[in-house]
Amino acid sequence: MTPVDVILALIIVLCAVLLVWPFLIYPLILRLLPTKPVEQAGGAAPPTVSLLFCAYNEAASLPAKIENLRALKARHPVLQILAFDDGSGDGTGDLLGQAQDVLTLLRGPGRSGKAHGMKQLAAVATGEILVFTDANVLLDANAIDALLPYYADPQVGGVLGSLRYDGADRSASASVGALYWRLEEHLKDLESRTGNVMGADGSIFSTRRALYPDFPDSVLDDLTVSMAVVFAGRRLIKAKDVIAREAMVAQRADEYRRKVRIAARSWHTHRHLRAGLRRMSRLDRFKYGSRKIVRWFGGLWIALAVLAALALAWRITPVAAVALVAAGLVLAMLGAMARRGPLAAIFDLLLAYMATLKGVLLAMRGQTFTLWTPAKSRD
């Protein structure tokens, strides 16, 4: 092999390592780290709790949501439940207004985004612990009971719940999304065992109200609020027994748009958090880079590996390079047409990586996504 061939082969190997790093190599490293236990001593009076969520055009999800809130309220009569209607046009505000025996409704003047709505809710919340969730997410009946003992440890500043997705068998997109989420939950479990989790998902997480930060409306509120716990020197942990449930997005187009939006806001949030990230411990910086940054650029690692493989094949024989391109195009077409099976799953996985990379690149160019629209294919 010539030096050029060696370089091309090394690029392929390096990109492959970076691609699997967050899901294979990083977890193995976390398993080697010592466990940091959490104290759950009883005796003290449990802290007061406020449950917060924002809604936009969630009329289809709200009957089940309100029933779920009534069950939680019956179990915890002093639980404060706050909802923000972000200018819905499908009767969401009316449905929430009819449930004001169990919740307090704040109405926005129009579309302002989830981050803005959550800030409005946090400003009027009275609970010592703020629990954040989504309008289409249902909490298990014992979720609050399971959550509160973790706050007996004064070092714990925030607690993530465990999200279970329903409907993974509805399509290849849903199946890939469910697999990805199981891996994500496993990573959070390992991070929690070794210290801090690197950020929360908005479906179910909590923080001490005293640690709630100020932030612009353009960032991801869940990542910003949860990382503020770490920046404050407290622990951000995950609880396996605090369970929430959500329906999977079933359509490719919905999932693609969702990932572009989330990735763009994630990168914008990353830039907003840079000062705090630099102050973190070396272990937490390693965790953040491994689970966030390396994964955000997964589409780039795939593209570089493909280009290097084509260049290497061309140097061997141009026929091999043309054959690789033709095979790739055929497989891509078959994957795009398929709705189930391995080809569909691989296509959806590649599409997810490319959507994430697109979102990051859009954010680097200054584009932000403050507003959101619920995916119709999850209902």
Side-chain angles (χ1 to χ4, degrees):
M1 294 180 69
T2 67
V4 173
D5 295 334
V6 172
I7 291 173
L8 291 172
L10 287 175
I11 290 175
I12 296 171
V13 171
L14 178 60
C15 289
V17 170
L18 290 171
L19 191 62
V20 303
W21 179 274
F23 304 109
L24 293 180
I25 302 174
Y26 175 50
L28 292 176
I29 295 174
L30 290 178
R31 288 181 180 275
L32 299 176
L33 299 178
T35 298
K36 291 187 176 182
V38 176
E39 298 179 10
Q40 287 186 274
T48 55
V49 181
S50 296
L51 178 67
L52 287 59
F53 69 94
C54 294
Y56 172 71
N57 285 356
E58 292 282 4
S61 301
L62 281 181
K65 179 69 174 182
I66 292 172
E67 181 181 353
N68 182 239
L69 294 175
R70 291 190 189 281
L72 294 172
K73 186 73 171 180
R75 193 164 179 142
H76 299 276
V78 297
L79 174 67
Q80 182 188 38
I81 302 177
L82 301 172
F84 181 85
D85 175 31
D86 192 34
S88 301
D90 67 342
T92 289
D94 295 334
L95 288 172
L96 290 172
Q98 294 167 13
Q100 294 204 60
D101 59 312
V102 71
L103 61 84
T104 299
L105 173 63
L106 275 67
R107 294 179 184 264
R111 294 306 309 276
S112 53
K114 182 184 175 185
H116 176 82
M118 282 299 189
K119 287 192 295 184
Q120 301 306 305
L121 296 178
V124 300
T126 59
E128 298 168 85
I129 305 299
L130 304 181
V131 179
F132 304 92
T133 187
D134 288 332
N136 63 312
V137 171
L138 305 180
L139 275 61
D140 277 11
N142 68 337
I144 303 297
D145 298 285
L147 171 70
L148 295 183
Y150 292 98
Y151 283 101
D153 188 334
Q155 287 301 310
V156 172
V159 181
L160 285 64
S162 297
L163 180 63
R164 310 282 176 82
Y165 272 118
D166 298 326
D169 58 347
R170 294 173 62 193
S171 67
S173 295
S175 177
V176 169
L179 173 60
Y180 169 85
W181 193 254
R182 288 195 296 272
L183 292 171
E184 180 78 357
E185 290 284 280
H186 179 58
L187 285 177
K188 291 177 182 177
D189 287 333
L190 291 174
E191 289 180 342
S192 179
R193 183 186 67 82
T194 56
N196 290 318
V197 182
M198 291 297 102
D201 172 79
S203 300
I204 175 65
F205 79 101
S206 63
T207 183
R208 297 184 189 271
R209 181 162 57 92
L211 299 178
Y212 193 83
D214 186 30
F215 52 88
D217 294 347
S218 57
V219 302
L220 284 172
D221 63 288
D222 44 14
L223 181 57
T224 303
V225 173
S226 58
M227 289 305 295
V229 173
V230 181
F231 299 160
R234 300 289 190 92
R235 284 192 66 183
L236 181 66
I237 64 171
K238 181 174 178 289
K240 294 182 180 181
D241 53 347
V242 178
I243 298 172
R245 303 177 190 277
E246 182 178 355
M248 287 296 304
V249 173
Q251 296 297 325
R252 280 175 178 158
D254 286 341
E255 182 66 2
Y256 182 84
R257 287 190 293 269
R258 189 181 75 90
K259 286 194 176 296
V260 170
R261 173 177 56 83
I262 291 175
R265 298 195 70 190
S266 294
W267 186 258
H268 187 71
T269 305
H270 165 74
R271 292 178 60 85
H272 172 72
L273 298 177
R274 281 183 300 180
L277 295 171
R278 286 194 289 265
R279 296 195 305 269
M280 293 194 306
S281 68
R282 284 182 292 180
L283 174 59
D284 283 342
R285 291 200 301 270
F286 167 74
K287 286 181 175 182
Y288 185 88
S290 295
R291 188 158 74 85
K292 299 289 187 183
I293 297 177
V294 173
R295 189 174 56 193
W296 287 338
F297 289 96
L300 178 61
W301 314 141
I302 293 173
L304 289 176
V306 169
L307 290 175
L310 289 175
L312 188 59
W314 185 273
R315 289 177 61 81
I316 296 172
T317 170
V319 175
V322 172
L324 281 177
V325 171
L329 291 175
V330 170
L331 290 174
M333 290 176 60
L334 292 174
M337 292 186 293
R339 289 297 175 263
R340 296 183 183 277
L343 280 180
I346 293 173
F347 182 83
D348 282 313
L349 184 63
L350 293 175
L351 201 64
Y353 274 117
M354 295 308 162
T356 300
L357 181 60
K358 178 182 177 180
V360 170
L361 294 177
L362 287 174
M364 287 181 170
R365 291 163 53 187
Q367 185 169 341
T368 60
F369 295 79
T370 303
L371 308 179
W372 86 105
T373 300
K376 294 181 179 180
S377 62
R378 70 165 195 230
D379 298 324

